[in-house]
Amino acid sequence: MMENAAEEDQRPLYTLQFGLLCLSSLLFSASFNMIIPELPNYLSSLGGAEHKGLIIGLFTLTAGISRPFSGRLTDKWGRVPVMAIGSIVCVLCGFLYPILTSVAGFFLLRLVHGFSTGFKPTATSAYIADIIPSTRWGEALGMHGLCFSIGGAVGPAIGSYIAMVADLNTMFYSSSAFAFLSIIIVMNMKETLKDKQKFHRRMLKISRRDIIELRVIPAGIVTLFSYTAYGVILTLIPDWSEHLGIQNKGLFFTAYTVASVAIRMVSGKVADRYGRISVMKVGLLIVTISVLYIGFSDSILHLIIGACIYGIGTGIFSPAVNAWTIDLSLPQYRGKAMATMYIALEAGIGGGAVFAGYIYHDQLSRIPGIMYGNAIVIFFAFLYVLYWERKNKKLPNTL
């Protein structure tokens, strides 16, 4: 047993298989993120300015609803087909945005588009756990998250640039093109699920036991509270950036991601070495500080600094909480475990977005107060980690 574990630890991390997986996720992330900065103004042009919180809220609603299905399919049908479904949804939606140009049509598309992130990240995380030794999950998830974040950075910047030099329809079609490239990569990858089954409609029958993996509830709670910040930021930052004089509304996300990428180079390894809990506590405190700082921002420089602090915090926190989720789960339920964590993530993002959108109501003076209130919510996540750590001190150590 010891020899097998030692052999597993020596398996290389940076293989072609892992590299292709990361590239696919980068393209997928760029695909759905590249349209986000332009959607608030686009919705206003359609006559739905008062419903900006639903831009992210509806997207995350269907992402969360689809998680139990994607988790079950990931554990039974396979990782690869579930990843492909997520990218296919993005391809289709990119072509439909220019066609459905009413407020109702737009929101219908946001609902459908949410299925993309309900499928691909769930299967991708399980795939990583299959091909990477458990002692290096933090590092692997950190590097994968880095690539996903790069997509999240270049996507908004590219999307806003295309919208400026061409038009919104070209931006939507470009989104489809990025997702299509992601599909090509995924469909040429080797399946890692050992007991892969042929698809059958019975796989779509979900019982209460298929929705939530109870073992990873602690990770879900922390994820829920902490990711409300991202929903708030996605909803408010495009308008706040424009108010402060930033022409390219994707600049905040670029700065945030550059900082996140830089810290992820080491944060995953640190989580593997010093423990998930310790690293999560540091990350959550930094995220809390960043949201407060963004609320105080009254210039372009301060907003970009706030974006960098937020990127550092999430870059530290995210790989640790993802690895902690896998730590708490059983191998045969990895798909369901990751689905549970992502349900919490989508609920946090969606809740933050809806909360921010309906309080904001196109009144810029309300943005700082919303940010301060959200900082309190994130601090609850930090307090829960402290509570869980104290409660489980007498149990066998978890990384």
Side-chain angles (χ1 to χ4, degrees):
M1 291 289 291
M2 293 294 291
E3 290 180 1
N4 290 338
E7 289 178 3
E8 183 186 64
D9 290 346
Q10 293 304 311
R11 283 187 296 164
L13 172 62
Y14 302 107
T15 62
L16 177 62
Q17 190 179 26
F18 182 68
L20 289 173
L21 186 70
C22 289
L23 177 59
S24 173
S25 291
L26 187 155
L27 292 167
F28 171 76
S29 177
S31 169
F32 72 86
N33 276 299
M34 68 190 305
I35 68 175
I36 288 177
E38 301 300 325
L39 291 184
N41 281 347
Y42 178 64
L43 179 59
S44 295
S45 71
L46 297 179
E50 68 273 20
H51 302 302
K52 287 182 179 179
L54 294 179
I55 291 174
I56 304 301
L58 292 178
F59 184 92
T60 57
L61 174 63
T62 44
I65 291 173
S66 65
R67 297 291 182 185
F69 297 95
S70 65
R72 181 174 171 81
L73 290 171
T74 295
D75 290 334
K76 293 185 177 295
W77 188 25
R79 322 311 197 192
V80 171
V82 175
M83 286 191 286
I85 288 174
S87 294
I88 289 170
V89 171
C90 281
V91 172
L92 295 175
C93 287
F95 280 103
L96 290 174
Y97 278 110
I99 297 174
L100 300 179
T101 56
S102 66
V103 173
F106 174 82
F107 284 136
L108 175 62
L109 273 181
R110 291 308 289 166
L111 279 168
V112 174
H113 209 162
F115 281 105
S116 62
T117 58
F119 274 76
K120 193 173 190 306
T122 300
T124 299
S125 298
Y127 195 103
I128 290 173
D130 291 342
I131 65 174
I132 302 298
S134 59
T135 54
R136 302 185 72 183
W137 280 342
E139 181 182 358
L141 290 166
M143 291 304 299
H144 172 264
L146 182 153
C147 293
F148 199 90
S149 295
I150 290 174
V154 300
I158 292 173
S160 289
Y161 178 77
I162 293 173
M164 284 190 295
V165 300
D167 54 37
L168 290 175
N169 287 351
T170 304
M171 179 190 72
F172 290 133
Y173 297 143
S174 299
S175 171
S176 290
F178 275 67
F180 182 72
L181 292 174
S182 175
I183 296 172
I184 292 175
I185 295 172
V186 165
M187 295 308 294
N188 285 282
M189 296 187 68
K190 181 181 178 181
E191 179 58 61
T192 58
L193 181 62
K194 293 181 180 179
D195 299 320
K196 176 179 168 61
Q197 303 174 23
K198 289 185 178 180
F199 176 80
H200 193 281
R201 61 185 180 183
R202 285 195 301 269
M203 292 180 182
L204 298 176
K205 292 183 178 179
I206 301 296
S207 67
R208 285 182 296 177
R209 291 178 297 178
D210 296 319
I211 297 175
I212 299 294
E213 175 55 45
L214 296 178
R215 294 176 182 85
V216 303
I217 287 293
I221 292 173
V222 176
T223 300
L224 173 67
F225 284 115
S226 60
Y227 272 90
T228 56
Y230 196 55
V232 172
I233 284 171
L234 287 173
T235 303
L236 302 182
I237 289 303
D239 283 1
W240 194 238
S241 297
E242 188 174 38
H243 167 69
L244 294 178
I246 300 177
Q247 187 176 11
N248 188 322
K249 287 172 280 188
L251 183 60
F252 175 95
F253 299 97
T254 301
Y256 140 70
T257 307
V258 168
S260 180
V261 164
I263 200 68
R264 283 174 190 266
M265 300 293 288
V266 296
S267 62
K269 292 182 180 180
V270 173
D272 287 335
R273 183 170 182 178
Y274 296 103
R276 324 298 193 201
I277 300 299
S278 298
V279 173
M280 282 192 297
K281 287 190 293 186
V282 173
L284 286 168
L285 283 177
I286 295 175
V287 170
T288 302
I289 293 169
S290 72
V291 172
L292 287 171
Y293 192 93
I294 292 170
F296 282 111
S297 298
D298 57 0
S299 68
I300 296 175
L301 176 61
H302 287 161
L303 185 64
I304 297 306
I305 291 174
C308 292
I309 299 172
Y310 179 69
I312 292 170
T314 55
I316 292 172
F317 168 75
S318 181
V321 75
N322 287 351
W324 190 39
T325 302
I326 299 175
D327 290 339
L328 295 172
S329 68
L330 297 176
Q332 63 269 35
Y333 297 124
R334 279 176 184 162
K336 183 166 69 168
M338 295 311 300
T340 300
M341 191 273 289
Y342 279 117
I343 287 172
L345 182 148
E346 303 295 356
I349 295 174
V354 172
F355 164 81
Y358 280 106
I359 292 182
Y360 170 45
H361 214 267
D362 269 359
Q363 296 188 39
L364 290 167
S365 61
R366 295 182 178 180
I367 289 180
I370 295 172
M371 302 304 296
Y372 305 150
N374 186 233
I376 296 173
V377 175
I378 301 165
F379 192 67
F380 283 147
F382 174 79
L383 294 178
Y384 178 79
V385 171
L386 292 180
Y387 164 77
W388 189 93
E389 182 181 33
R390 183 174 300 176
K391 182 180 177 181
N392 291 273
K393 265 188 175 179
K394 295 182 180 180
L395 297 178
N397 186 45
T398 301
L399 278 174

